[in-house]
Every structure is written in C-alpha cells, then in structure tokens.
Amino acid sequence: MKACTSCKRISTKERCPVCNNPTSSNWSGFLVIIDPDNSDIAKELHIELPGEYALRVR
C-alpha cells in the first residue's frame, strides 16, 4: 500500500488515481472516511471524497 504525497489517499499504484501525484510507501496512520460531508475530521483535513487516507506521508 502507498499513500499520495499530496492528497494522502491510499492506493497500490505509483501515481494517485485521484490527483495523479506520486505516491510513497513511507506513511503512517490510517483513516477511513465514509461520509465526508458530515465528518468533522474530513472537514479539518480538507477531504472531499470517501476512501482510505494516511494521516502522515513522507
């Protein structure tokens, strides 16, 4: 699993399927957003799409 260096979305690809930025295997923390419109955490982290996200990406 890898995380996008920009939007922090987790995927298995070398480039993020959402924003096309490079991904990194050096990440920590795991966050699942189901309903970003009603999630205070998603609003705080500026997440607009449901999915799996890393909390920190290096």
Side-chain angles (χ1 to χ4, degrees):
M1 303 293 284
K2 294 183 173 199
C4 176
T5 56
S6 179
C7 73
K8 300 182 181 180
R9 181 129 179 163
I10 294 175
S11 72
T12 57
K13 306 200 182 285
E14 293 295 320
R15 297 196 74 77
C16 178
V18 176
C19 65
N20 203 34
N21 283 318
T23 58
S24 170
S25 58
N26 191 3
W27 59 275
S28 62
F30 186 76
L31 176 66
V32 177
I33 298 294
I34 296 171
D35 186 4
D37 294 331
N38 294 317
S39 170
D40 292 335
I41 294 172
K43 290 174 188 167
E44 181 76 24
L45 298 174
H46 308 288
I47 295 173
E48 298 177 354
L49 297 172
E52 299 174 338
Y53 293 86
L55 294 177
R56 186 174 189 183
V57 181
R58 293 184 206 116

